[in-house]
């Protein structure tokens, strides 16, 4: 950075979720348990999909990528939040803050596009079943995943290219548990109102575009199948309901944070916790509880483990 833009702030201070020490200790135990469940739950899904030949299909390939992304989305902010519950001074270095912003937007942007890819996969499977194996080839699956990561990377870098050059010369308190662009921009030593709108619009374009594509995709799936069969709508709804549920719990908080911010501190904190902790927590539960093939794979894995243990 040049001298005119050089930051004199070496670290930021998080105000956290609450101020009461007893509640922070309680939250430490709660979120530590939730984080361990997130990591273990997503590792279980990854292990099942990688080891069970019955799950070697495009749908489960994308589900494995989603589990990997969810695990890292939570890991960018949650361990720091958990550790800060037991700290009086909840600080983060300037570089650490920039890294949080980079990886949150990289991973979240990639997940948004991946959810669109998963909707496309369901569209091909339900509406064009005879051509499914040809259209969703291994090469195309890898290409779609690479596209999701590329969009996430471009989105994150477009944000970073602006924020790392902002002048931070005084205020350093962030009323949250992690660094996010709307909160960090407010600390810049300049009139940041217009810049905040532009940066939110950048995130909003990605979120709204993906959300609209998802709504169109699932609506088209239901309408197409309903025309060909009276019971088709219920079957399609059963197949896609898990995907739709995941889409809603991921996109709704993001939309209210970036597209239509309410500027209510406690609500912003709740929404941030929801998409960084509860979304990665709920995804494995939703896909496991509503998916017969995943349940069957878990039984096969458990039986194999018990048999192996019995033989030894």
């Amino acid at each position: 950075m040049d001298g005119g833009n050089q930051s004199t702030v070496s670290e930021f201070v998080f105000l956290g979720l609450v101020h009461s020490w007893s509640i922070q200790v309680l939250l430490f135990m709660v979120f530590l348990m939730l984080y361990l469940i997130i990591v273990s739950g997503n590792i279980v899904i990854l292990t099942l999909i990688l080891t069970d030949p019955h799950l070697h299909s495009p749908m489960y390939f994308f589900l494995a990528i989603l589990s990997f992304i969810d695990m890292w989305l939570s890991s960018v902010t949650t361990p720091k939040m958990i550790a800060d519950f037991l700290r009086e001074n909840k600080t983060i270095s300037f570089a650490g803050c920039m890294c949080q912003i980079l990886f949150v937007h990289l991973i979240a942007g990639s997940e948004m596009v991946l959810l669109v890819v998963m909707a496309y996969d369901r569209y091909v499977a339900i509406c064009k079943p005879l051509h499914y194996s040809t259209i969703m080839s291994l090469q195309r699956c890898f290409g779609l995943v690479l596209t999701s990561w590329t969009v996430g990377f471009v989105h994150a870098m477009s944000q970073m290219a602006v924020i790392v050059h902002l002048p931070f010369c005084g205020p350093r308190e962030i009323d949250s548990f992690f660094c996010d662009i709307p909160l960090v921009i407010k600390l810049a030593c300049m009139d940041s109102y217009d810049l905040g709108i532009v940066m939110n619009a950048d995130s909003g374009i990605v979120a709204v575009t993906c959300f609209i594509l998802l709504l169109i995709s699932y609506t088209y799936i239901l309408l197409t199948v309903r025309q060909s069969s009276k019971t088709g709508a219920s079957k399609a709804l059963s197949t896609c309901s898990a995907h739709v549920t995941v889409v809603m719990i991921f996109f709704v908080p993001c939309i209210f944070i970036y597209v239509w911010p309410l500027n209510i501190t406690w609500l912003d904190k709740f929404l941030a916790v929801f998409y960084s902790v509860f979304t990665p927590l709920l995804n494995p539960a939703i896909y496991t509880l509503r998916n017969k093939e995943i349940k069957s794979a878990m039984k096969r894995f458990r039986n194999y483990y018990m048999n192996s243990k019995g033989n030894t």
Side-chain angles (χ1 to χ4, degrees):
M1 287 192 231
D2 345 292
N5 278 339
Q6 187 161 0
S7 170
T8 58
V9 172
S10 60
E11 63 181 18
F12 296 100
V13 179
F14 294 135
L15 298 184
L17 296 179
V18 294
H19 299 294
S20 168
W21 173 252
S22 59
I23 296 178
Q24 288 191 73
V25 172
L26 175 62
L27 291 177
F28 167 80
M29 294 186 290
V30 170
F31 281 102
L32 177 61
M33 181 183 67
L34 292 177
Y35 180 66
L36 293 175
I37 293 173
I38 289 169
V39 174
S40 58
N42 283 292
I43 287 177
V44 166
I45 288 182
L46 279 168
T47 303
L48 289 174
I49 293 173
L50 289 174
T51 59
D52 195 318
H54 297 87
L55 301 180
H56 291 175
S57 66
M59 183 178 86
Y60 294 106
F61 170 72
F62 295 134
L63 177 56
I65 301 297
L66 180 64
S67 292
F68 177 78
I69 289 177
D70 278 337
M71 192 163 52
W72 285 108
L73 177 63
S74 181
S75 297
V76 171
T77 59
T78 307
K80 170 67 175 167
M81 176 184 68
I82 293 170
D84 281 346
F85 283 133
L86 301 182
R87 291 175 182 160
E88 186 176 350
N89 297 318
K90 303 171 176 35
T91 59
I92 185 171
S93 67
F94 182 85
C97 184
M98 295 300 107
C99 285
Q100 276 196 340
I101 292 173
L102 172 65
F103 286 108
V104 164
H105 285 265
L106 166 63
I107 297 170
S110 300
E111 178 159 346
M112 289 180 184
V113 180
L114 182 65
L115 290 172
V116 175
V117 170
M118 294 176 75
Y120 173 70
D121 172 70
R122 291 300 83 207
Y123 160 75
V124 177
I126 293 171
C127 300
K128 299 184 178 181
L130 298 179
H131 304 285
Y132 181 72
S133 58
T134 303
I135 296 174
M136 299 305 296
S137 63
L138 184 62
Q139 183 178 1
R140 175 162 292 186
C141 289
F142 277 113
L144 291 170
V145 171
L146 180 61
T147 299
S148 71
W149 281 103
T150 301
V151 172
F153 178 78
V154 171
H155 165 64
M157 292 307 296
S158 69
Q159 303 266 338
M160 292 301 297
V162 175
I163 201 164
V164 295
H165 292 97
L166 293 179
F168 297 98
C169 58
R172 62 195 190 105
E173 290 187 341
I174 299 175
D175 195 2
S176 186
F177 62 93
F178 77 104
C179 290
D180 201 6
I181 285 179
L183 299 174
V184 174
I185 285 178
K186 292 178 181 178
L187 302 180
C189 299
M190 57 177 286
D191 183 4
S192 59
Y193 179 77
D194 291 338
L195 179 61
I197 292 176
V198 172
M199 298 294 274
N200 279 350
D202 184 1
S203 298
I205 288 172
V206 177
V208 171
T209 301
C210 290
F211 190 62
I212 291 174
L213 288 174
L214 286 163
L215 290 178
I216 293 172
S217 299
Y218 287 117
T219 301
Y220 188 76
I221 289 172
L222 291 176
L223 291 176
T224 301
V225 179
R226 190 174 185 177
Q227 290 173 358
S228 59
S229 170
K230 291 182 179 180
T231 59
S234 60
K235 290 181 180 179
L237 183 60
S238 176
T239 304
C240 300
S241 59
H243 294 256
V244 174
T245 304
V246 169
V247 165
M248 295 305 295
I249 64 176
F250 181 77
F251 275 91
V252 170
C254 291
I255 287 173
F256 279 110
I257 290 173
Y258 298 108
V259 182
W260 190 12
L262 301 176
N263 296 319
I264 303 172
T265 302
W266 70 266
L267 183 57
D268 290 341
K269 290 181 181 181
F270 170 78
L271 292 173
V273 168
F274 195 90
Y275 86 76
S276 62
V277 177
F278 288 102
T279 298
L281 175 70
L282 291 172
N283 283 358
I286 290 169
Y287 283 110
T288 302
L289 295 175
R290 299 184 65 89
N291 190 295
K292 292 181 180 178
E293 291 187 28
I294 291 287
K295 289 180 182 178
S296 299
M298 291 183 70
K299 289 180 182 177
R300 287 192 293 269
F301 184 81
R302 186 172 62 249
N303 292 336
Y304 174 79
Y305 175 76
M306 295 301 293
N307 292 334
S308 300
K309 192 175 180 180
N311 293 333
T312 57

